[in-house]
Amino acid sequence: MNLKCKHALAVLFCLIVTFGNAQQSADEVAPEGSTALGGYAASLAVAAAQTLKAEGLPVEAQSWMISVANPYAAQAGAAVLAAGGTAADAMVSAQAVLGLVEPQSSGLGGGAFLLWYDAETGVLSSLDGRETAPLKANPTLFQDASGAPLKFFDAVVGGRSVGVPGTPALMQEAHRRWGKTPWAGLFSSAVGLAEDGFIVSPRLAEMVRADADFLSRDAESRAYFLPEGQPVSQGQKLVNPAYAQSLRALAGKGVAAFYTGDIAKAIVEKVRNAEHNPGVLSDIDMGLYQIRERPPVCVGYRGYEICGMGPPSSGGLSVGQIMGMLEAYNLGAPTEADVWRLLGDATRLSFADRGRYIADSDYVPVPTQGLIASDYLRQRSKLLAGPRALTEVSAGQPEFDHSLDLADDEAIDLPSTSHISIVDSYGNALSMTTTIENAFGSRLMVGGFLLNNELTDFSFRSHRNGTPIANRVEPGKRPRSSMAPTIVLKDGHPKVILGSPGGSRIIPYVAKTLVAHLDWGLDPQAAVSLPHLVNRFGAYDIEAGTSAETLAAPLEQMGYEVAIRGLNSGLHMIAVTDSGLLGGADPRREGIALGE
Ligand code: GLY
């Protein structure tokens, strides 16, 4: 082993280069079992990353890095990057593995938003792979016969909540635009793991146990997650041959196999015939699905450009609004309650605008530029002058040449989802947040993957006192999201790649992590580990069991209601510094950063 290979993290690099050289043809999906990396030394590299994470230290690298929610997915992406693949190639490989080992959060049956910084052109692009409502869906989709909104889980479980998945099309579109590695070979790791088996993680086992009732309503979900009536357990080896078959179809025929072939047929049949809550998805809906390129949303902050995803996600606009409002204030240190007053009330103001104005801009005119105009943010920022919690928070009146006469939304948005951050050896950067919405989505399983319940991100009500809600259900529309894949630029170059799961808490998780890094100078691991304090609608959520609890009393004195609770983010972050790449993975989840 040469000198470079002695460092624990470098072992990974040496192995994957060896793997890359030995690989016969990336066009062939490995026939059996080859998980791009296997054996002791790869485990060592993962163990090294896990040790650094446990010690609160960032992973360092010079050339490429991936930070993602599961070690198997990190290894798959790392293997592609080390063999000269781009961040788009690595994302395809990592996403295919995530759909197997973290099936509760994302996969082929879901949707995603992706930001791409292109090193060659210096252009930042954003792709919308959001699920779409079937053409037969209408604003009463989640209402009972009297027009009252359904209870959340009555809407979620079954076929009614399933939108046309966007993730497979997004994987292929990103690869078509920015990939270098042949498509089919990118599925080798996932196919190998699905056929030979992967070890069930503590998090997956616990989530299956907690969700056993809902999962057992669908025959395929029941057979896979609860074989012989018992939840799969931590440490158990699990195989998923149906998933391997779906991946092989995708690898061999591209996404046509998913949207028009047997997989599409199986999805439509499953949704329409769901025993509980059948839906209206059709083969026409599947065949019409398209990825949409959207203009990224960027807001200046202390010399940086904070860039994110525009509508139908609220992520980029809301994070941008928060940062834009905070810019006028000195954010001191994370130990100061007044700093959290500023962060909390800036978030509340942004959520008021989000609830009123943000929806799928193909259906509802959204005042995108008005919401982040510097004059507007300056005016909203003045509301934060303090020193107490805002007693009234309502949507503002951004500049717009259309009517702003809309009612406030009340979509529930419970945490699930996953995030992938990647920098490749060419200097490209990718930030992608990926989801099937609620944990285990609709609980319907087809072809070894779960179908989303993304349509419950729409407002269940369509109107309030006769005024329409922007985010109401409409045929072919995309539900509003909170997903906030973020790339921070400085002088046109990427400095931070970041995102998180967490439902609508994604927005404050991402904003506070940006403040932790850009204002307080915390490295990516320290920034993602920082205890959470998040406020969306007035009550201050403080992360239980952390030093943040000491801020409860001063925040209460400022007028906030305080709730001490678990706050389950999944932040994955890479910082591009003058001396190389630094990566962090959220200690609240199982992910790691790997790099070389
Ligand atoms: N379903 C999570 C989100 O889109 O925000």
Side-chain angles (χ1 to χ4, degrees), residues 133-145:
L135 293 174
K136 285 221 166 89
N138 66 42
T140 64
L141 185 71
F142 296 121
Q143 297 170 10
D144 67 17

Side-chain angles (χ1 to χ4, degrees), residues 114 213 434-435 479:
L114 183 154
D213 282 352
T434 173
T435 189

Side-chain angles (χ1 to χ4, degrees), residues 88-418:
D89 297 328
M91 175 278 287
V92 172
S93 195
Q95 175 66 76
V97 173
L98 276 183
L100 176 72
V101 299
E102 200 199 30
Q104 71 275 20
S105 296
S106 77
L108 300 182
F113 292 108
L114 183 154
L115 256 62
W116 174 267
Y117 171 81
D118 196 275
E120 208 174 299
T121 60
V123 172
L124 187 76
S125 315
S126 67
L127 295 182
D128 164 1
R130 187 67 161 167
E131 298 89 335
T132 59
L135 293 174
K136 285 221 166 89
N138 66 42
T140 64
L141 185 71
F142 296 121
Q143 297 170 10
D144 67 17
S146 72
L150 296 180
K151 290 200 185 111
F152 185 65
F153 281 103
D154 288 346
V156 165
V157 181
R160 191 190 296 237
S161 63
V162 179
V164 183
T167 300
L170 184 65
M171 290 160 80
Q172 184 161 292
E173 181 61 15
H175 180 263
R176 187 188 70 76
R177 290 178 181 228
W178 304 303
K180 280 188 197 291
T181 310
W183 167 255
L186 297 173
F187 296 88
S188 294
S189 296
V191 168
L193 285 164
E195 288 179 343
D196 286 0
F198 68 96
I199 302 300
V200 172
S201 75
R203 183 173 167 78
L204 173 57
E206 171 51 26
M207 293 185 84
V208 170
R209 191 201 58 72
D211 203 62
D213 282 352
F214 285 153
L215 283 171
S216 58
R217 291 191 191 177
D218 176 67
E220 265 181 88
S221 293
R222 188 165 61 240
Y224 182 65
F225 292 110
L226 303 148
E228 292 163 29
Q230 291 305 310
V232 295
S233 53
Q234 172 185 340
Q236 173 184 340
K237 196 175 208 186
L238 194 58
V239 292
N240 189 341
Y243 187 60
Q245 199 180 329
S246 297
L247 291 179
R248 282 184 186 281
L250 209 56
K253 298 187 195 142
V255 294
F258 187 92
Y259 289 97
T260 58
D262 290 347
I263 301 177
K265 197 160 164 250
I267 291 173
V268 169
E269 273 174 17
K270 172 70 76 162
V271 168
R272 295 181 85 98
N273 300 322
E275 198 180 318
H276 302 270
N277 229 351
V280 292
L281 191 74
S282 74
D283 52 354
I284 294 175
D285 297 315
M286 292 293 295
L288 284 176
Y289 188 81
Q290 283 188 340
I291 295 301
R292 302 213 188 285
E293 178 158 10
R294 309 276 186 189
V297 167
C298 295
V299 173
Y301 183 74
R302 307 203 200 289
Y304 297 91
E305 287 286 300
I306 314 282
C307 296
M309 191 73 220
S313 187
S314 58
L317 283 172
S318 300
V319 169
Q321 283 198 311
I322 295 167
M323 303 305 286
M325 282 185 265
L326 291 176
E327 197 183 21
Y329 296 91
N330 175 1
L331 294 180
T335 46
E336 295 169 24
D338 197 55
V339 165
W340 295 103
R341 177 188 65 75
L342 289 164
L343 262 157
D345 279 351
T347 309
R348 291 170 67 197
L349 289 168
S350 77
F351 267 69
D353 281 350
R354 171 185 177 273
R356 177 79 58 90
Y357 300 121
I358 305 179
D360 182 348
S361 50
D362 289 345
Y363 282 71
V364 179
V366 177
T368 302
Q369 290 312 317
L371 287 168
I372 51 171
S374 42
D375 283 356
Y376 178 67
L377 291 179
R378 212 170 296 123
Q379 169 208 326
R380 297 284 275 173
S381 171
K382 286 186 185 146
L383 300 172
L384 302 174
R388 290 184 58 77
L390 292 176
T391 48
E392 277 204 26
V393 171
S394 55
Q397 293 281 312
E399 283 283 335
F400 201 35
D401 55 3
H402 288 64
S403 165
L404 292 173
D405 190 16
L406 291 162
D408 293 331
D409 181 9
E410 55 177 22
I412 305 174
D413 194 358
L414 293 182
S416 180
T417 311
S418 204

Side-chain angles (χ1 to χ4, degrees), residues 481-533:
S481 172
S482 303
M483 295 197 287
T486 301
I487 294 184
V488 178
L489 302 175
K490 174 123 187 164
D491 302 325
H493 296 286
K495 287 287 158 197
V496 177
I497 298 93
L498 174 65
S500 180
S504 60
R505 289 195 184 88
I506 289 172
I507 291 163
Y509 289 152
V510 167
K512 91 173 242 290
T513 306
L514 289 172
V515 169
H517 183 64
L518 301 178
D519 287 82
W520 301 330
L522 300 188
D523 68 54
Q525 189 55 55
V528 303
S529 304
L530 189 72
H532 287 312
L533 295 97

